[in-house]
Every structure is written in structure tokens, then in C-alpha cells.
Amino acid sequence: MTDKELAELIFPNITKTPEDYEKIYPERKLESGAAVSRFAPSPTGFVHMGSLLTTVIERKIPDETNGVFYLRIEDTDQKRSVENGIKGIVDDLKNFEIKIDEGALGEDEEIGDYGPYIQSKRKEIYECYAKDLISKGLAYPCFCTPEELDETRNLQELNKERIGYYGSFAKCRNLSNEERAERIKNGEPYIIRLKSPGNYENKVMFNDLVRGKIVFPENDLDVVLIKSDGLPIYHFAHAIDDHLMRTTHVLRGEEWLSSVPVHIQLFKILGFELPQYAHLGLVMKIDEETGAKRKLSKRKDKEAAVSFYHEQGIPVEAVKLYLMTIGNSNFEEWLNQNPDASINDFKFNFKKMSASGSLFDLEKLINISRNYISRLKAQEVYERALKHSKEFDTEFYELLTKYKDYCVNMFNIEREQKKPRKDYAMFSEIKGYTWYMFDELFTGDINYEFQSINDLEEIKNILKVYLEKYYNEEDDEQTWFERLKDLSEELGYAREVKEYKENPDNYKGHVGDISMVLRVALSSKSMTPNLYQIMKLFGRERLTNRFNLVINK
Ligand code: GLU
């Protein structure tokens, strides 16, 4: 029986040939140097922060070269699939504004000419290539049972031999085609294995974009190509899909590094050009309890799920900026020099990636976010706060809607200036910072944080005299402050802090203490943005009402 006849026996329904697929998926018509990259997750329903870093780079390199970025769903390991697993991934990417040029959009929806983009729908394609390899004597059916494979493994361990299905351990490698056909006809279960032409004594070399030149022993393992469920194993699907989808750059986790010799061999046997590989290190964090570095864990770390950022209202741009700082070691410096530039203006460089992985630091991300938000225009802050509260805080959403202009003005306090105020790091924090600006929220039992002046009668008196004699809604900031000093003087407080410090016995306190009383009566807080501007926004009536809450105590 010839190899061709065996192939025909195993895949009688496969009529297409590899040449047919070359025509169906022709080389892409892109400018020379254009990168084609992909994100290839299992349909687990969400994107992990580490993968988000990868996708940001996978999106960036085609952006820099007018290339293509696509989403391929790798669901050949059914154990890793969850219901609606694709939708969760697509939604996470959408929330992060990572545009997919091609690929799966859902279980039954996709865009692009190089699909299907879900591996379980590509069974026929893998079978075509498996059939072709069998017919060329480069692959064969293997009937070894899991028990037999375990036995071989135990033996190898016992004798301290290299683990795997190779050489004399590859029991089914040298069966005759007649015996193979016989066993298949008898209904014996089997898988398809590569008949590796490699020799472990030989070396293969490849150039990793992050790690540089790497030398490995050549692969001599007869790796599985098609499993017993008829679906391909990762290596086989990777070679076929990345070839037919015309991928130029494969970015993936470092756990795949040791498989590169298998991939080099498969690409060669299949007659495909090898893509460029970048094997990325793990994203780690310092464990809060032990202080040791460990992998960022979806189970333990809230910041590992990208939905966390959406819920907290941390701007997508800030997360991307942060990811780029851990992605490229020179990015942060570039950003400091070009604070207003966009990530698009930065040229990504694989050589500036750490091969040993990156350390994820939520505090640092939050800082970047705080900086980012401080640079937004008030109107923009308003719109984003509105959008966030619409989804997560109805009460605040209603206030923002009802008092639109007031809120924009509120957000404009100490903003849109050279050194803007850096207060909010996320939109979920804004209500906690601004609640006293809304009468609806400033009711009930307020815990005033009066500072150095703590006699209630004195406080009441300061507020009363201020309203009666020194408050004028129309004052500019300088006059307003002069009047605070006049008030201080009238009540026995120093006009200047300096005067007080020189002769503390001559005064009850100083103008700072007086303004603190006003600030606290207005907001209940000892720290607020510019008091003058807040008072301006309140206006006489609301200001009087607010002070009366204390005066009438
Ligand atoms: N599905 C593989 C994984 O999630 C993809 C690796 C790759 O990008 O090729 O690890």
C-alpha cells in the first residue's frame, strides 16, 4: 500500500489540496515591510492584562507599517473554552479601543478574507495538510494508547533518557502501511503524528525579536499533529494558520519558546516561510504579602482583569500609556519629553523589551492615569464622568446631567493651565472628591473637619461677620482675599501668617485659620481646590445656606 493510498483511506472526504488553499488565501497586497500580526487567544471570555500588553504591541506594529491586525480564536483545546468566550474577548478589546482589522467578532460572525478565524471551523484545512503529509510519508497514524505512552515515559524517566516520542520509542513510526490500514479498518482509535526528519545532534538557530539569536537542538520528536478528537494540536494549527493568514509577526508567551524547533521543522516541511517571532516574558507583580515577584494572577489580582479598568473609569489611554512603559524601556522617558504626544507617535522597538518579563505596578498606572486626566479639558472630563456614571452610578449621573454647566465649571477649577491640579486618577473617584459641591449630597450628618479654630461660637461668629460685612459675590480673587484679611483683623487675627509667627501672643490666629473656617463650613473638608473659585460657583444664596448649616447648629 502506498503512502498516498493510506492518506486516501484516512481522509477520503478531503478533496482540496494545499495548492488550492494557496489560491484561496493569496499573499496579501500590502506595502513592502507591512506587518501582519494577530492575537490568538483561547475563547476564555476575557483578556488578561498580560495579553492586553501583547495586543497593544500587536496592534502597534501594523499601525506603524500600514499592516493588518487580526483576531484568531484558538479553540482546539475544548477544555479552555467557555460559553460566550469569544464575545468576552471581543468586548474587552473593544473597551480598550484595540481595533481588529479582521477576525472573529462572535461565534458566528467575522470579518476578513482569510477566515474562518475560529480554529474549530478550520478542521478541513488542517486535514488537507495532514493528508498531504501522510501521502508524502511525512506523517503517520499512531495507535499507541495513553497507557502505552505513560509506560514509555516511565521507562524514559527511569533510565534518565530524554522524554518523548522519538527514535525507537516511536513505536508506530515503522509500522507497514498494510498494518496501519488493517488497524484503521478494525476501528482502532488513532492520532496523526509527524514523522520528524530531525536529528537531535544537529542545531537549529533562529532570531527572536526580543531575545536575539537562539540555538536549539533540532526537533526529532514525532509530535502529534491531529488529536483523537480530529482537531489539530497547537503546533500544527499555528503553522497552517499563520501561513495561510499571511502572518509576518508572531508575538506570544515565552512558554512557547521551547517549541520553536518543532515549528521551524513544520514550516519547512510544509514549505512555508517562517514568520518573525517575539517571545514575551511574563507580566509579574510584587506580591503584597510576601514581597516576592510572582505572575500577575487572574484569580488573585483585581488588576489582572481588563474589566477592572473599565469599572473604575481609568481611561483606556492611560492604561495603554502604562503598558507601553512596561513594554518598551525607553517609552517613559519619551513620554516625559513629549507629554502631549500620542502613543502613535512613538516608534516601538522589540529590542527595548525586557526578555525577563515586566513588573506590573498598579500604583504607577494610577499615577499615569492621574496625570492623563489632569491634562484633559473640563468639557472632556465632564463627558467621560457622565459616561462612566451612566453605567456605574445613577445618582451621580443625574446630578451631572441636571447641573451640566455648573459641573463643567467645577471641573475647570485649576485645570486648563500649565500645571493643572492632579486630583482624580479614575472617574469612579470623582464623586468622592466633589460631593460637597452638590446640595443633594451635602445633607444630613456632616462631620466638619474644623482645624485650629475649634470653638463653635467663634466659628459661627466668623461666618456671620463674613456674610454681613465682607462677602461680595462680585469680587475678583485679589479683592476677595483682601477682604478675608480685613475680616481677620476685625476679629483679632493676623492679616498675614508671617505677622502671626513673629508675634503669636498678639493674635488669636491668622488669616489662614479664618479661610479654613470658610472652607470647612462650605465643604466640611480641610482640603479643597481653590476656595475663591468654589465660592464663586456657589453664589450668594447657596453660600449663605451652606454657612447657615453651621451658624444654626
Ligand atoms: N492560543 C495560544 C495561547 O493562548 C496562542 C499562542 C500564539 O499566539 O501563537 O497561548
Side-chain angles (χ1 to χ4, degrees):
M1 183 179 225
T2 63
D3 292 333
K4 207 157 184 289
E5 284 161 343
L6 179 68
E8 207 51 56
L9 175 72
I10 295 178
F11 296 112
N13 299 325
I14 296 297
T15 51
K16 284 207 182 71
T17 64
E19 291 72 38
D20 293 330
Y21 286 116
E22 288 299 318
K23 288 194 195 110
I24 299 173
Y25 306 111
E27 282 207 31
R28 293 171 180 272
K29 293 192 187 67
L30 296 170
E31 303 169 11
S32 102
V36 178
S37 65
R38 82 297 192 278
F39 178 41
S42 302
T44 52
F46 69 95
V47 178
H48 179 277
M49 216 45 198
S51 313
L52 191 68
L53 168 62
T54 314
T55 60
V56 166
I57 303 166
E58 281 165 341
R59 176 70 264 182
K60 179 114 181 78
I61 42 177
D63 280 346
E64 287 179 4
T65 54
N66 290 326
V68 174
F69 169 63
Y70 70 88
L71 173 65
R72 181 172 73 227
I73 299 298
E74 306 215 322
D75 60 346
T76 59
D77 183 357
Q78 307 275 336
K79 287 194 296 293
R80 296 192 63 197
S81 304
V82 301
E83 212 178 316
N84 289 325
I86 302 179
K87 188 169 180 305
I89 289 174
V90 170
D91 285 351
D92 275 351
L93 291 179
K94 202 181 272 165
N95 279 337
F96 269 90
E97 294 164 23
I98 295 182
K99 185 175 162 272
I100 303 165
D101 301 320
E102 288 175 14
L105 300 177
E107 313 292 329
D108 294 306
E109 206 190 331
E110 60 176 38
I111 43 165
D113 296 332
Y114 287 80
Y117 295 90
I118 301 178
Q119 287 184 328
S120 57
K121 299 187 179 182
R122 301 172 63 79
K123 201 162 170 255
E124 237 179 49
I125 305 179
Y126 306 123
E127 287 176 344
C128 163
Y129 284 90
K131 182 176 185 179
D132 187 58
L133 290 182
I134 295 172
S135 73
K136 291 173 175 157
L138 290 167
Y140 61 89
C142 167
F143 304 92
C144 289
T145 61
E147 292 74 31
E148 283 175 288
L149 294 174
D150 279 350
E151 213 173 286
T152 308
R153 191 192 172 88
N154 291 340
L155 203 70
Q156 287 169 334
E157 273 172 5
L158 201 69
N159 297 334
K160 299 209 165 37
E161 277 175 292
R162 203 152 48 83
I163 307 290
Y165 202 82
Y166 61 95
S168 58
F169 299 109
K171 287 194 204 136
C172 292
R173 178 181 244 250
N174 296 318
L175 300 180
S176 69
N177 282 348
E178 282 68 25
E179 185 179 343
R180 287 170 176 153
E182 187 64 31
R183 293 173 76 167
I184 290 171
K185 282 182 197 149
N186 288 342
E188 253 190 70
Y190 63 93
I191 57 173
I192 307 290
R193 281 187 189 274
L194 172 72
K195 189 170 177 182
S196 171
N199 177 346
Y200 193 72
E201 304 301 320
N202 294 343
K203 300 275 176 257
V204 288
M205 199 269 293
F206 89 104
N207 193 21
D208 188 274
L209 292 170
V210 176
R211 291 151 202 269
K213 256 191 201 130
I214 302 186
V215 178
F216 279 115
E218 196 170 63
N219 175 59
D220 66 346
L221 302 180
D222 285 0
V223 292
V224 179
L225 302 179
I226 306 263
K227 298 177 287 170
S228 54
D229 61 4
L231 288 169
I233 210 98
Y234 170 80
H235 312 304
F236 197 43
H238 154 50
I240 293 169
D241 292 348
D242 280 313
H243 170 68
L244 292 180
M245 296 178 184
R246 308 291 171 177
T247 310
T248 62
H249 289 68
V250 170
L251 278 65
R252 61 186 179 189
E254 64 186 4
E255 68 273 19
W256 294 111
L257 192 60
S258 59
S259 306
V260 171
V262 175
H263 303 155
I264 291 177
Q265 191 168 66
L266 277 173
F267 274 79
K268 189 158 177 219
I269 289 173
L270 291 162
F272 302 157
E273 194 183 325
L274 201 67
Q276 304 212 62
Y277 288 109
H279 290 91
L280 311 187
L282 287 178
V283 174
M284 290 170 291
K285 72 173 270 179
I286 304 280
D287 188 277
E288 285 98 356
E289 274 161 37
T290 65
K293 257 196 207 177
R294 63 163 171 81
K295 188 174 178 224
L296 191 64
S297 141
K298 121 174 195 244
R299 212 163 28 80
K300 290 192 219 153
D301 306 314
K302 58 184 186 316
E303 70 269 36
V306 301
S307 51
F308 167 77
Y309 303 88
H310 180 63
E311 282 156 21
Q312 294 302 316
I314 297 180
V316 166
E317 297 90 333
V319 178
K320 287 185 180 168
L321 286 172
Y322 176 67
L323 288 178
M324 208 40 104
T325 66
I326 61 173
N328 251 189
S329 56
N330 55 330
F331 180 74
E332 199 170 354
E333 197 188 331
W334 178 88
L335 187 64
N336 288 336
Q337 284 161 3
N338 306 278
D340 291 315
S342 117
I343 260 190
N344 300 337
D345 304 323
F346 176 76
K347 179 102 177 65
F348 183 80
N349 183 351
F350 282 105
K351 292 267 169 315
K352 302 266 189 217
M353 266 198 116
S354 154
S356 57
S358 31
L359 203 55
F360 191 89
D361 180 351
L362 185 58
E363 280 307 309
K364 200 154 173 207
L365 189 157
I366 287 175
N367 238 339
I368 288 189
S369 182
R370 182 175 287 116
N371 264 326
Y372 180 83
I373 294 178
S374 78
R375 304 178 75 85
L376 295 177
K377 297 235 182 302
Q379 181 69 31
E380 176 92 356
V381 174
Y382 174 80
E383 273 153 27
R384 290 180 183 226
L386 193 70
K387 193 163 166 225
H388 182 264
S389 61
K390 187 170 184 180
E391 196 172 343
F392 297 103
D393 186 346
T394 316
E395 180 186 46
F396 198 47
Y397 175 73
E398 281 165 7
L399 290 171
L400 288 169
T401 312
K402 188 166 166 195
Y403 303 115
K404 175 167 188 233
D405 293 341
Y406 174 77
C407 291
V408 174
N409 287 332
M410 171 180 85
F411 290 135
N412 207 18
I413 297 177
E414 295 174 65
R415 184 176 293 279
E416 299 186 27
Q417 59 192 31
K418 190 142 184 279
K419 283 215 163 133
R421 184 182 180 84
K422 293 180 183 171
D423 34 17
Y424 329 123
M426 42 192 107
F427 288 97
S428 59
E429 283 178 350
I430 293 189
K431 188 183 180 185
Y433 276 112
T434 60
W435 62 279
Y436 58 80
M437 295 295 289
F438 302 93
D439 293 336
E440 287 84 343
L441 301 177
F442 194 92
T443 49
D445 247 354
I446 306 293
N447 199 2
Y448 291 91
E449 299 170 15
F450 285 109
Q451 304 270 299
S452 39
I453 306 178
N454 46 33
D455 176 60
L456 188 58
E457 288 314 310
E458 177 74 359
I459 289 166
K460 287 181 180 180
N461 190 44
I462 293 169
L463 296 172
K464 265 192 238 159
V465 178
Y466 180 65
L467 284 176
E468 279 160 18
K469 290 176 67 179
Y470 294 99
Y471 173 64
N472 179 356
E473 219 182 328
E474 309 302 322
D475 282 346
D476 62 22
E477 190 162 357
Q478 206 186 341
T479 317
W480 167 84
F481 196 46
E482 276 310 309
R483 287 176 185 271
L484 281 192
K485 290 181 181 173
D486 297 343
L487 169 69
S488 306
E489 191 172 335
E490 172 171 344
L491 298 180
Y493 293 79
R495 295 182 70 93
E496 310 283 345
V497 181
K498 198 165 141 252
E499 280 171 21
Y500 172 75
K501 286 210 170 129
E502 280 162 11
N503 289 300
D505 296 339
N506 292 358
Y507 305 99
K508 290 200 258 175
H510 55 74
V511 63
D513 301 326
I514 294 287
S515 66
M516 181 59 80
V517 167
L518 303 189
R519 183 189 305 277
V520 174
L522 198 64
S523 67
S524 80
K525 308 204 102 32
S526 56
M527 282 209 308
T528 68
N530 182 300
L531 181 61
Y532 167 76
Q533 291 186 41
I534 293 181
M535 285 173 59
K536 209 72 199 150
L537 272 180
F538 264 75
R540 170 171 280 280
E541 195 188 326
R542 285 186 63 220
L543 185 84
T544 309
N545 291 343
R546 223 12 111 78
F547 283 2
N548 279 338
L549 290 177
V550 177
I551 292 171
N552 298 330
K553 257 186 188 288

